[in-house]
């Protein structure tokens, strides 16, 4: 229930006008009775609210258990109603979640517009790590680069090799190659990483676990 609640909240936020990263299907949302231009994410809000019911049942069960001595006691017959309600809630939640996700429309252009150069500060630090500099040092150097960009009134990715060279002797002209968002994503290829292949593998693993 908690996972569904957090997932729902993410999609609710990402679907707002302030973000616009996703569009929800009319089948799982409704128009506002007051504002014609507004689309209410009803299904996601209901999914988010269901976590309160599940948490309440958990608290009820823990309250039953907290005063019990060891071995079986008749108090434990109270766990059945709580458990069954949680199972019923989950069974109702999964199909709705599936429908919301399968009809969700990502808006790539909005996501791209939300990117900014400072997101690549870690990649700048990693550049020096690959040259043998400890991350505890490169972290500070990347911070100095961010501060330099702020002083110059530009984005981090606008800094050139000439700008960065005074910050560390191991910076070379190819340092500006790290100013690529897609390369940054693809560089994280370990299990659970952000690269395309890593994400697809996670999807395959999840699918296999359900079969």
């Amino acid at each position: 229930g908690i996972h569904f609640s957090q997932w729902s909240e993410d999609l609710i936020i990402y679907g707002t006008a302030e973000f616009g990263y996703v569009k929800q299907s009319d089948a799982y949302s409704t128009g506002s009775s007051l504002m014609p231009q507004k689309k209410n994410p009803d299904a996601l809000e209901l999914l988010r609210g269901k976590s309160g019911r599940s948490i309440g049942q958990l608290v009820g069960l823990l309250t039953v258990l907290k005063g019990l001595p060891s071995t079986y006691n008749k108090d434990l017959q109270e766990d059945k109603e709580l458990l069954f309600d949680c199972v019923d809630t989950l069974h109702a939640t999964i199909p709705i979640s599936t429908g919301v996700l399968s009809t969700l429309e990502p808006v790539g252009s909005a996501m791209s517009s939300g990117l900014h150069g400072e997101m690549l500060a870690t990649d700048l630090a990693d550049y020096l790590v690959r040259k043998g500099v400890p991350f505890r040092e490169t972290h500070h150097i990347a911070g100095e680069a961010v501060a330099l960009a702020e002083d110059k009134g530009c984005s981090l990715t606008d800094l050139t090799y000439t700008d960065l060279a005074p910050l560390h002797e191991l910076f070379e002209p190819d340092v500006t190659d790290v100013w690529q968002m897609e390369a940054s994503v693809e560089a994280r290829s370990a299990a659970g990483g952000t690269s395309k292949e890593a994400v697809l593998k996670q999807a395959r693993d999840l699918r296999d676990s359900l079969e």
Side-chain angles (χ1 to χ4, degrees):
I2 298 298
H3 292 309
F4 276 123
S5 179
Q6 292 179 314
W7 175 76
S8 298
E9 176 63 9
D10 281 342
L11 292 182
I12 289 171
I13 291 176
Y14 291 152
T16 61
E18 290 78 6
F19 287 87
Y21 293 168
V22 295
K23 291 182 179 179
Q24 294 154 24
S25 168
D26 289 342
Y28 294 94
S29 57
T30 61
S32 169
S33 59
L34 179 62
M35 296 174 286
Q37 82 284 2
K38 188 173 185 292
K39 182 185 287 188
N40 294 320
D42 289 351
L44 291 171
E45 290 175 353
L46 291 169
L47 288 172
R48 183 178 59 186
K50 285 297 183 183
S51 65
R53 185 184 186 110
S54 299
I55 292 171
Q57 303 293 26
L58 173 60
V59 172
L61 179 57
L62 293 175
T63 303
V64 171
L65 294 174
K66 72 176 183 62
L68 297 183
S70 301
T71 72
Y72 182 81
N73 298 268
K74 273 294 184 180
D75 311 53
L76 291 173
Q77 69 182 13
E78 292 297 320
D79 68 348
K80 307 302 184 293
E81 181 180 4
L82 303 173
L83 173 62
F84 295 160
D85 185 80
C86 283
V87 171
D88 290 342
T89 299
L90 189 61
H91 281 176
T93 297
I94 292 176
I96 297 174
S97 302
T98 302
V100 170
L101 186 59
S102 63
T103 58
L104 197 69
E105 180 185 347
V107 184
S109 58
M111 296 180 188
S112 295
S113 66
L115 299 174
H116 56 85
E118 283 64 33
M119 290 179 172
L120 296 173
T122 302
D123 295 84
L124 184 64
D126 288 344
Y127 174 90
L128 290 176
V129 169
R130 290 192 292 271
K131 292 179 175 292
V133 184
F135 183 78
R136 63 180 178 272
E137 295 180 24
T138 67
H139 180 277
H140 294 296
I141 296 168
E144 292 176 5
V146 172
L148 176 61
E150 292 176 350
D151 290 341
K152 292 172 68 70
C154 66
S155 170
L156 179 64
T157 53
D158 291 330
L159 295 181
T160 65
Y161 164 67
T162 303
D163 296 320
L164 295 170
L167 299 181
H168 199 280
E169 60 184 9
L170 290 181
F171 278 134
E172 297 181 17
D174 67 346
V175 65
T176 54
D177 291 345
V178 305
W179 303 148
Q180 300 178 41
M181 294 292 180
E182 186 172 344
S184 174
V185 171
E186 288 299 319
R188 275 74 180 175
S189 58
T194 58
S195 72
K196 182 177 180 179
E197 181 53 38
V199 172
L200 290 176
K201 184 179 187 306
Q202 292 174 66
R204 289 194 299 269
D205 290 344
L206 287 171
R207 189 176 292 110
D208 291 344
S209 70
L210 295 174
E211 295 177 350

